[in-house]
């Protein structure tokens, strides 16, 4: 009927008119269904957060968290970590010269040796990290300056990298492979570790350079462009401006670690979350049949091929040696936090218990005369 | 019956419908000003009117219709031909062509949509941290869904329009009936309408198949009154009963331009006959058949179309009601503004910090991270501005599109629970509650003032004749009065008066559509139908009574000469009849206040005493009086009446004057009493509303005594209530000024003495219409009278119940408006059943209509319609309460979860060189509000019940806990925001310390920034979902399903999103991030710790508040309160 046709309200972009067309035209003679849903009578569990119900939960949380926290804290304390800054800011620092006379693309690399001593022996596998400070790997312009399809071995992207790589997209009219700011700024210091025997002779410590990147990154996300010979495949592309050698010469000795699937490269390409970060550099595996520690106490020398300039942005470079437990590296935070939260819960439980006793009784008393 | 004038008041003149085009508006303005000019100068005589007609201004304010398109004879006034629309009804908003642009325009006019469009465009234009997809996709989704819904509705409207526009219509052309389609009708066409057909446009009745030129019409689909109304043809055209005759009619009609008032029409028909002067006859609303009404009991009629298409009164009446906005919406908008400021503030802070940090070029452009050439050449101001916009884009999720969508969905879906409620279903009516707008659901939980009508709302409006009193002798129908028949003259006259002075129609059973009315024991019976139930009760009572007295044997014949219709201003009606003896009598019945002052003889004192006694008992009383008219008087009366009826302008006013003149010098006959029973559980409902802290005002047109009695019966006033009177009687003794000050002193002194310690003395105020208008009247000088309003409000605020009697409909709206505008801006609710309540229903924040006996107008104009007054209790105390806590939680939670979402991003800017690096992946940014956290809150906001329905019903005072928008006030909002900020800090710094320069994998490998973000995001999703879980008091399987389902969905999605190299993405940054994170033990421990830690303060706060100072609601949750009975 006319009336009901007009009943469709003007809605003004307002999807809200629940017009139960109640115009005189439509006489609804229907009784609403008596279902639990429509009558809002669905069976339900009705928990209420009262002091009584929350109390046990607090105690339980406290009782669970505190042991976990202690466990974490002890584990973290058992982890041995050694950190040394080799930036060469101070005059006394062995790398001072290298950091001062830094020349891009110098043919003769500057090297320096940093002596240090370990007070405690490092058992089991030891992980060697390099650390950078004040380096904004999480800067937006930096993070997006990469081409994942190029890194995945896509041939068209190899020749025509993504726009995001600007201004590290082309050089000398040739596409850069790998393009982008992240690749361009690949960390290229070489770190070598020597153990100084008590008799004074230097023993090179074997550093394993594989297994430092995520397995999925190395095997799925990063792939070299198809082709048997990497040199041929990368023909027509240019090396990143700051690199000394092209990507296919990153590790000429091992074809499984060369090109885009070079693990040092992959590790670098995973941009860090914070401006002070560390990245896994090498793994020092425990000696297989020897009961002696991986890194015994004593004197060591860190040989640095100093290629990476950080002074310009007041950065720092560090080398870190760390053992690893099931919970990772040394980080007392988690343990302390667990202990704190657990204790707070326990404490709150006690407070609530008192309050519950005081007020709960009073409330009950107040209710009864009602 | 008294709908007539009230209806006209209910539609104020400024409410011109939007369909009127500008020029029409202009015309109306002219008409208006012209009328005013006329009244001022007093130029009302007919001759001057004609003169004025020749001026062009007047020409445009009137329309002239040539019946059958026949030109008037030369020599008549030269009319300027006007163009009229055809009879096409267009209710649709769009056509196929303009749908997309117009709909988009409409949608983007909403400020929220426009904001998101702006964000989207910014993302498209400048280099922003997040891809345009993140805001484009949700926006596109919302826009598309809305467009489809509106398109569908419009398509339905198109279909409805089409079927109406193409329905067949019979038109008289060249003396024959021609069948055509409705939309081809033109102004001036003569239309034939058969029985049970709907009128295709507004018609002037020319003649009908009935001999007396009348026809019966039901306007059920227009105003809901199912009674048959009689319409009349002008005597001069009555005789044209065949097609040929009608076609030969030569006449023009002058009438006003279309206006929306259904019950007002002013016009004149000029009939031209050969070699005769044209005859002019007045046309009124009783000649106008409205489109949408249906012809009944009449075989066919002929009429001439005068208003067609969008000009018809029906089309003009279906304007959209003004949108009411709820208090929750207002506070939501206030919160939005706060968040918008927060957003701009954040972006500004970050921009400033960025540029101060970048002061050294090492920070701005270290060697490893150079700008592009183009970027470098850009001016620093432009760069700063782009950065600002980029920050805006990064943080824009703090105001999510999905909040609007969720709120709309919650309101729309939630309103079904009202309609579905079987507790509010009435078996007799066969109807449950109706929801006409879903925008106000939560407002039902916020009501502070309830304005209720009395008749039909508090009372049944099912009248029963109780007794009558003639000259002080009382007659009761059921009790045999010991044959005490005083054959006094007056008694005879009294019963005659009651039998004659009414507008009741007799309806024979056969003519009514058979089944519905039911055949009573197989034999046809007759029904009395009237728009006023009092009249039916009186006439039926008379019938019974006269049967008792065996009056039936004597029959008299009276000729009905004039009916002076009832209206609510005069509050009486009269008939002028001629008896078989040739004597002219005027019978009048009406309210005592309007009859007694006009009485010159009769036993006034006895009758008055009886009337007052009856009124105290809560009966509705009417006084009956008569006046014998001498022929001279009669002539005079006739003259005045016809003069007034003929007038084109100010007809109502002139009719009033004529009635006033005629209805005087009465002889009082007696009074009647009719009982109007209280509705079932009305007292209980009022009591509950009182306990819930609402102030209940009764606004009635009834007289004070009756109304007071009803108020006592319905427990509005208690025995202990101290009644304050502000009535005419009192103001006659003292000046209004003194009375007001007296009362306010009484009220205020009491309060200052008692303070807040004890429950104050209960006050009830009684005010009548006359005093009210005196109080509200703006005085000549604002100094004194401006205060009256304030003093009056002050008194009212301190009264728990107020009774306003003798109220005109417009005064009801005035009262509502007055309270609405008072300084606390309380939320008002008006409830009523009749057309006289429409104005207050429209005025109040929430209008509730009762599907009563006086038509459906109130129900149609209301926001919610319920079958009975008692349903108001469940509506407010249960549904309103639930809706309010649901939407309050919805709004607060939405802001909370977006603070949690965005604030870590803000913090992250400090650690990424203010470079707008997003913390989360694009997919997470997009889906956070759309799918990970949307359903639990939607379901919560639909089915949450923090207390059981029974508890809410049993303990109305729980309603006070949510009063005054208490869950959306600034402290609560601040608490939620702080909670959000706290949680955000926990997420961010927790993850920060976890990541700080160390590794937490057992193979020594490192995580990057995306793992950092994903860790935070995981904690975020779990925390906000569990926070909602903590707030949920009602865990149905649906809640379990959506809460745990959402979390599961998040995990599955993340596994999938990171598990595959997605070929269509140009980045693979999420590849295996989530799985790598889960493969590390400390990440799990960290997530559990952070979730626990961020939920802890809220749990502690809840438990402490509950234990130390529990609210009534919280007490009620713990255990049912002991029964108080």
């Amino acid at each position: 009927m006319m009336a009901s046709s007009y009943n469709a309200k003007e809605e003004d972009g307002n999807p809200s008119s629940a017009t139960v067309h109640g115009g005189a035209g439509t006489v609804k003679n229907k009784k609403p269904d008596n279902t639990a849903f429509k009558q809002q009578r669905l069976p339900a569990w009705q928990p209420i957060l009262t002091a009584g119900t929350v109390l046990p939960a607090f105690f339980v949380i406290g009782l669970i968290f505190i042991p976990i926290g202690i466990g974490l804290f002890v584990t973290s304390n058992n982890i041995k970590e050694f950190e040394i800054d080799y930036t060469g800011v101070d005059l006394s620092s062995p790398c001072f010269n290298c950091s001062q006379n830094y020349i891009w693309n110098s043919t003769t690399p500057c090297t320096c040796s940093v002596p240090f001593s370990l007070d405690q022996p490092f058992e089991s596998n030891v992980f060697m990290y390099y650390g950078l400070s004040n380096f904004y790997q999480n800067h937006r312009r930096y993070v997006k300056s990469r081409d994942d399809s190029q890194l995945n071995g896509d041939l068209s992207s190899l020749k025509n990298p993504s726009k995001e790589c600007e201004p590290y997209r082309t050089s000398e009219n040739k596409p850069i492979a790998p393009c982008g700011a992240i690749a361009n700024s690949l960390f290229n210091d070489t770190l070598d570790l020597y153990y100084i025997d008590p008799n004074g002779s230097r023993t090179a410590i074997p550093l394993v350079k594989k297994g430092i990147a995520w397995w999925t990154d190395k095997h799925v996300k990063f792939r070299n462009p198809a082709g048997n010979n990497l040199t041929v495949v990368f023909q027509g592309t240019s090396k990143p401006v700051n690199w000394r050698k092209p990507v296919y010469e990153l590790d000429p000795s091992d074809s499984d670690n060369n090109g885009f699937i070079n693990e040092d490269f992959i590790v670098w390409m995973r941009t860090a979350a914070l401006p002070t970060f560390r990245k896994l550099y090498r793994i020092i595996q425990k000696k297989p049949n020897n009961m002696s520690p991986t890194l015994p106490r004593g004197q060591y020398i860190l040989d640095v091929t100093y290629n990476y300039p950080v002074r310009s942005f007041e950065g720092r470079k560090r080398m870190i040696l760390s053992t690893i437990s099931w919970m990772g590296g040394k980080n007392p935070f988690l343990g302390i936090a667990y202990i704190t939260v657990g204790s707070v819960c326990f404490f709150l439980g006690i407070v609530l218990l008192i309050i519950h006793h005081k007020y709960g009784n009073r409330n009950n008393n107040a209710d009864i005369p009602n | 019956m008294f709908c007539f004038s009230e209806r006209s008041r209910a539609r104020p003149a400024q409410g011109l419908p939007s369909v009127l085009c500008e020029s029409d508006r202009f015309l109306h303005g002219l008409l208006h000003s012209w009328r005013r000019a006329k009244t001022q100068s007093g130029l009302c005589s007919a001759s001057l009117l004609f003169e004025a007609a020749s001026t062009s201004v007047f020409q445009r304010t009137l329309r002239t219709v040539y019946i059958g398109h026949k030109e008037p004879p030369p020599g008549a006034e030269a009319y300027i031909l006007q163009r009229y629309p055809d009879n096409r009804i267009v209710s649709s908003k769009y056509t196929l062509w303009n749908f997309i642009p117009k709909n988009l325009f409409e949608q983007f006019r909403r400020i929220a949509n426009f904001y998101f469009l702006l964000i989207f465009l910014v993302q498209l234009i400048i280099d922003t941290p997040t891809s345009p997809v993140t805001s484009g996709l949700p926006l596109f989704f919302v826009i598309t869904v809305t467009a489809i819904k509106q398109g569908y509705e419009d398509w339905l409207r198109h279909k409805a329009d089409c079927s109406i526009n193409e329905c067949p219509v019979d038109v008289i052309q060249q003396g024959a009936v021609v069948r055509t389609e409705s939309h081809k009708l033109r102004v001036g066409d003569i239309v034939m309408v058969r029985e049970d057909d709907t009128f295709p446009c507004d018609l002037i009745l020319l003649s009908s198949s009935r001999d007396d030129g009348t026809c019966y019409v039901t306007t059920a689909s227009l105003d809901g009154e199912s009674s048959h109304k009689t319409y009349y043809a002008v005597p001069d055209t009555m005789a044209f009963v065949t097609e040929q005759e009608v076609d030969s009619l030569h006449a023009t009609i002058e009438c006003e331009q279309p206006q929306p008032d259904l019950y007002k029409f002013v016009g004149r028909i000029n009939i031209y006959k050969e070699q005769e002067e044209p005859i002019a006859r007045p046309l009124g609303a009783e000649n106008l058949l409205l489109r949408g009404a249906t012809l009944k009991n009449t075989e066919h009629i002929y009429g001439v179309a005068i208003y067609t298409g969008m000009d018809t009164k029906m089309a003009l009446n279906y304007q959209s009601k003004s949108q009411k906005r709820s208090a929750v919406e207002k506070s939501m908008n206030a919160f939005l503004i706060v968040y918008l400021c927060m957003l701009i503030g954040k972006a500004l802070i970050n921009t400033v910090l960025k540029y101060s940090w970048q002061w050294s070029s090492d920070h701005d452009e270290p060697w490893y991270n150079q700008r592009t050439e183009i970027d470098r050449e850009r001016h620093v101001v432009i760069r700063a501005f782009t950065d600002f916009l980029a920050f805006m884009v990064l943080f824009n999720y703090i105001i999510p599109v999905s909040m609007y969508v969720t709120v709309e969905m919650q309101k729309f879906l939630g309103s079904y629970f009202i309609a579905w409620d079987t507790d509010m279903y009435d078996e007799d009516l066969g109807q449950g509650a109706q929801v006409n707008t879903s925008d106000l659901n939560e407002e039902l939980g916020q009501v502070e003032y309830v304005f209720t009508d009395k008749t039909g709302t508090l009372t049944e409006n099912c009248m029963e004749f109780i007794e009558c009193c003639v000259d002080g002798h009382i007659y009761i129908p059921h009790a045999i009065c010991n044959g005490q028949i005083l054959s006094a003259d007056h008694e005879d006259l009294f019963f005659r008066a009651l039998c004659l002075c009414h507008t009741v129609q007799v309806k024979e059973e056969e003519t009514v559509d058979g089944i519905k009315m039911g055949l009573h024991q197989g034999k046809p019976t007759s029904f009395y139908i009237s728009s006023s139930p009092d009249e039916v009760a009186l006439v039926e009572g008379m019938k019974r009574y006269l049967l008792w007295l065996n009056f039936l044997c004597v029959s008299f014949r009276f000729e009905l000469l004039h009916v002076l219709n009832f209206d609510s201003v005069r509050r009486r009606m009269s008939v002028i009849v001629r008896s078989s003896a040739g004597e002219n009598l005027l019978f009048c019945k009406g309210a005592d206040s309007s009859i007694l002052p006009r009485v010159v003889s009769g036993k006034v004192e006895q009758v008055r005493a009886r009337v007052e006694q009856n009124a105290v008992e809560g009966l509705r009383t009417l006084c009956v009086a008569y006046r014998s008219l001498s022929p001279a008087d009669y002539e005079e009366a006739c003259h005045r009446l016809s003069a007034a009826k003929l007038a084109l302008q100010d007809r109502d006013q002139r009719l009033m004057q004529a009635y006033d003149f005629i209805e005087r010098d009465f002889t009082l006959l007696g009074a009647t009493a009719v009982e109007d029973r209280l509705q079932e559980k009305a007292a209980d409902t009022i009591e509950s509303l009182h306990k819930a802290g609402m102030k209940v005002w009764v606004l009635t047109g009834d007289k004070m005594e009756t109304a007071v009695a009803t108020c006592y019966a319905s427990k509005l006033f208690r025995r202990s209530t101290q009644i304050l009177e502000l009535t005419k009687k009192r103001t006659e003794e003292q000046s209004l000024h003194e009375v007001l000050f007296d009362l306010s002193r009484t009220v205020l002194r009491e309060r200052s003495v008692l303070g807040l310690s004890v429950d104050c003395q209960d006050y009830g105020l009684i005010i009548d219409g006359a005093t009210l208008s005196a109080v509200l009247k703006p005085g000549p000088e604002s100094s004194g009278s401006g205060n009256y309003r304030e003093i009056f409000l002050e008194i009212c605020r301190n009264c728990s119940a107020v009774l306003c009697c003798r109220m005109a409909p417009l005064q009801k709206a005035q009262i509502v408006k007055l309270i609405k505008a008072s300084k606390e801006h309380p939320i008002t609710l008006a409830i009523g059943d009749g057309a006289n309540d429409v104005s207050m229903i429209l005025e109040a924040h929430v209008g509730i209509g009762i599907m009563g006996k006086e038509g459906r107008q109130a129900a149609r104009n209301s926001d919610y319609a319920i079958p009975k007054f008692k349903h108001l209790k469940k509506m407010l105390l249960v549904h309103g309460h639930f809706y309010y806590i649901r939407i309050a939680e919805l709004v607060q939670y939405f802001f909370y979860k977006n603070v949690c979402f965005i604030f870590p991003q803000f913090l992250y800017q400090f650690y990424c060189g203010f470079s707008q690096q997003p913390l989360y992946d694009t997919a997470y940014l997009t889906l956070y509000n759309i799918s990970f956290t949307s359903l639990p809150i939607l379901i919560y906001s639909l089915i949450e019940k923090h207390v059981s329905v029974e508890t809410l019903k049993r303990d109305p005072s729980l309603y006070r806990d949510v009063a005054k928008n208490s869950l959306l006030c600034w402290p609560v909002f601040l608490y939620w925001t702080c909670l959000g900020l706290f949680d955000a800090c926990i997420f961010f710094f927790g993850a920060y310390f976890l990541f700080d320069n160390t590794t937490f994998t057992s193979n020594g490998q490192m995580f990057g920034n995306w793992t950092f973000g994903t860790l935070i995001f995981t904690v975020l999703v779990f925390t906000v979902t569990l926070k909602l879980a903590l707030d949920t008091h009602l865990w149905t399987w649906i809640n379990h399903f959506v809460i745990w389902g959402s979390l599961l969905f998040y995990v599955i999605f993340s596994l999938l999103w990171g598990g595959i190299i997605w070929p269509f993405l140009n980045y693979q940054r999420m590849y295996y991030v989530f799985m790598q994170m889960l493969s590390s033990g400390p990440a799990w421990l960290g997530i559990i710790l952070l979730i626990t830690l961020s939920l802890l303060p809220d749990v502690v706060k809840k438990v402490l508040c509950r234990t130390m100072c529990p609210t009534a609601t919280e007490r009620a949750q713990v255990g049912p309160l002991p029964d108080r009975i």
Side-chain angles (χ1 to χ4, degrees), chain B residues 169-368:
Chain B
V169 168
D170 292 326
V171 176
I172 312 293
Q173 278 174 356
Q174 276 97 40
V177 177
V178 180
R179 181 151 278 219
T180 171
E181 286 176 350
S182 164
H183 66 91
K184 290 180 181 155
L185 272 184
R186 293 287 178 278
V187 169
D189 280 345
I190 299 175
V191 182
M192 184 174 99
V193 181
R194 296 193 171 79
E195 185 169 358
D196 292 332
D197 278 352
T198 326
F199 300 114
C201 59
D202 291 353
L203 302 169
I204 288 290
L205 178 60
L206 292 176
S207 64
S208 86
S209 57
R210 294 167 82 104
D211 300 334
D212 54 355
T214 59
C215 69
Y216 292 102
V217 164
T218 164
T219 52
S221 57
L222 272 176
D223 56 12
E225 288 177 39
S226 54
S227 61
H228 291 195
K229 293 190 188 124
T230 316
Y231 285 79
Y232 305 91
V234 178
D236 307 81
T237 59
M238 237 163 69
F240 298 84
V241 284
T242 65
E243 288 98 53
Q244 289 79 15
E245 282 168 357
V246 168
D247 201 39
S248 68
L249 177 67
H250 196 190
T252 59
I253 290 174
E254 288 167 74
C255 57
E256 57 191 353
Q257 292 292 356
Q259 55 149 325
D261 190 334
L262 284 182
Y263 306 103
K264 256 201 189 123
F265 173 75
V266 182
R268 181 170 50 202
I269 184 165
N270 298 312
I271 301 161
Y272 304 100
K273 289 192 179 149
E274 280 167 42
Q275 291 108 30
E276 267 182 63
E277 275 292 293
I279 309 165
R281 297 279 171 218
L283 296 173
E286 69 278 6
N287 308 112
L288 182 69
L289 304 170
L290 299 176
R291 175 169 197 164
T294 313
L295 186 64
K296 292 283 182 192
N297 284 10
T298 313
E299 202 177 301
H300 63 262
I301 59 114
Y302 294 103
V304 59
I306 58 163
Y307 301 135
T308 51
M310 300 313 286
D311 283 349
T312 56
K313 290 194 184 265
M314 189 187 74
L316 294 182
N317 263 289
Y318 284 102
Q319 58 203 359
S320 60
K321 279 182 274 178
S322 67
Q323 288 263 320
K324 291 181 180 175
R325 284 170 67 218
S326 73
V328 168
E329 218 174 314
K330 279 173 203 154
S331 36
M332 197 167 106
N333 286 344
F335 297 163
L336 267 182
I337 288 168
V338 171
Y339 272 72
L340 202 65
C341 295
M342 221 151 109
L343 170 65
I344 293 170
K346 275 183 187 173
L348 218 57
I349 290 170
N350 269 335
T351 317
V352 171
L353 285 177
K354 175 178 176 139
Y355 278 84
S356 54
W357 183 77
Q358 279 183 356
W359 203 246
S360 76
S361 66
D362 289 337
H363 282 151
D364 184 22
E365 277 187 278
W367 62 263
Y368 57 86

Side-chain angles (χ1 to χ4, degrees), chain A residues 2-3 5-6 8-20 22 24 28-32 37-40 42-51 54 58 65 68 72 104 127 129 134-136 138-144 148 166-168 181 185 211-214 216 220-221 242 270-275 277-280 308-309 312-313 318 324-331 333-334 337-338 341 344-345 348 352 355 359 363 367 370, chain B residues 89 91 93 109-110 127-129 149-150 153 157 160 164 220-221 291 314 318 320 323 357 362 364 367-372 408 412 415 417 419-422 425 427 430-431 434-439 879 886 908 911-913 915-917 945 990 992-994 997-1009 1011-1012 1033-1036 1038 1067-1068 1071-1073 1076 1082 1085 1088-1089 1092-1093 1096 1099-1100 1102-1104 1106-1108 1115 1117 1122:
Chain A
M2 287 296 306
S5 82
Y6 272 91
K9 273 200 328 187
E10 251 209 295
E11 69 291 297
D12 223 10
N14 209 350
S16 60
S17 50
T19 328
V20 184
K28 290 223 169 153
N29 219 346
K30 247 196 289 175
K31 188 170 176 168
F37 175 67
K38 288 189 175 181
Q39 299 309 319
Q40 307 193 59
L42 283 176
W45 171 54
Q46 290 168 296
I48 292 166
L49 287 181
T50 59
V54 172
F58 273 16
F65 273 29
I68 293 180
L72 285 170
W104 277 112
F127 293 77
Y129 297 88
N134 214 6
F135 190 103
Y136 284 84
N138 57 5
H139 196 282
R140 180 161 73 93
R141 202 163 59 222
Y142 187 82
V143 170
K144 68 174 184 178
D148 277 338
E166 290 288 0
Y168 305 99
S185 57
I212 56 174
W214 292 13
T216 47
V220 187
K221 192 171 161 183
N242 288 354
R270 182 155 294 282
T271 47
L274 300 165
F277 59 89
R278 58 167 80 164
K279 283 184 186 289
L280 188 55
Y308 207 70
S312 63
F313 52 88
R318 290 159 298 145
I324 292 287
S325 72
W326 63 272
M327 60 156 285
K330 198 180 187 72
N331 189 359
F333 164 73
L334 207 54
Y338 259 96
V341 173
V344 164
C345 280
L348 281 174
L352 282 178
I355 290 174
Y359 283 84
N363 282 345
D367 273 349
N370 240 344
Chain B
I89 282 286
S91 63
K93 275 169 88 179
R109 265 198 342 194
R110 299 189 76 200
D127 168 43
T128 57
K149 178 177 168 274
Q150 293 182 354
E153 282 174 359
R157 263 173 272 166
I164 287 156
S221 57
R291 175 169 197 164
M314 189 187 74
Y318 284 102
S320 60
Q323 288 263 320
W357 183 77
D362 289 337
D364 184 22
W367 62 263
Y368 57 86
N369 191 12
Q370 301 281 313
R371 290 176 184 279
T372 56
E408 297 284 5
F412 176 73
S415 60
F417 284 116
W420 282 337
D421 195 336
T422 43
Y425 177 81
E427 295 287 349
Q431 248 173 341
Q434 248 179 43
V435 181
N436 296 329
T437 170
S438 57
D439 289 343
H879 286 291
R886 286 169 187 172
Y908 192 53
Y911 297 91
C912 71
S915 59
Q916 303 118 24
Q917 171 62 26
K945 283 195 293 186
Y992 176 85
F993 287 118
L994 209 56
N997 203 15
T998 185
T999 178
F1000 51 91
T1001 56
S1002 50
N1003 58 8
Q1005 292 169 358
M1006 295 302 296
F1007 289 146
N1009 63 324
T1011 314
F1012 183 67
H1033 292 104
L1034 187 87
W1035 284 83
T1036 64
I1038 309 176
Y1067 58 83
Q1068 305 296 343
Y1071 185 66
Y1072 254 73
V1073 162
Q1076 283 284 351
L1085 288 175
I1088 292 168
L1089 175 83
T1092 318
L1093 191 55
L1096 199 60
V1099 174
V1100 171
K1102 274 197 181 124
V1103 174
L1104 284 186
R1106 181 181 285 281
T1107 322
M1108 315 273 274
R1115 281 166 196 265
Q1117 282 171 346

Side-chain angles (χ1 to χ4, degrees), chain A residues 353-369, chain B residues 1107:
Chain A
L353 192 68
I354 296 166
I355 290 174
H356 182 59
H357 253 273
K358 267 178 80 177
Y359 283 84
N361 289 343
R362 194 202 291 176
N363 282 345
N364 289 341
N365 291 341
D367 273 349
I368 290 161
Chain B
T1107 322

Side-chain angles (χ1 to χ4, degrees), chain A residues 105-134:
Chain A
N105 296 335
S106 69
T107 43
T108 50
C110 179
T111 57
C112 51
S113 300
V114 187
F116 64 94
S117 65
L118 292 179
D119 300 333
Q120 285 175 310
F122 280 43
E123 316 269 352
S124 184
N125 287 350
V126 178
F127 293 77
M128 184 177 180
Y129 297 88
Y130 58 88
L132 292 175
S133 304
N134 214 6

Side-chain angles (χ1 to χ4, degrees), chain A residues 175-237:
Chain A
I176 294 179
C179 76
I182 312 176
N184 185 57
S185 57
L186 174 68
F187 181 79
N188 57 359
D189 277 1
T190 315
L191 306 175
D192 289 304
L193 207 56
Y194 296 95
Y195 176 63
I196 313 286
D197 283 333
N199 54 21
S201 63
R202 278 164 58 138
T203 327
I205 291 166
L207 303 176
V208 180
K209 58 188 171 186
K210 287 170 92 171
I212 56 174
W214 292 13
W215 189 92
T216 47
D217 278 4
K218 176 154 171 99
H219 294 95
V220 187
K221 192 171 161 183
F222 287 79
R223 251 185 256 160
N224 278 321
N228 291 329
N229 193 335
L230 280 185
T231 321
V232 181
V233 173
F234 283 104
Q235 211 149 44
T237 64

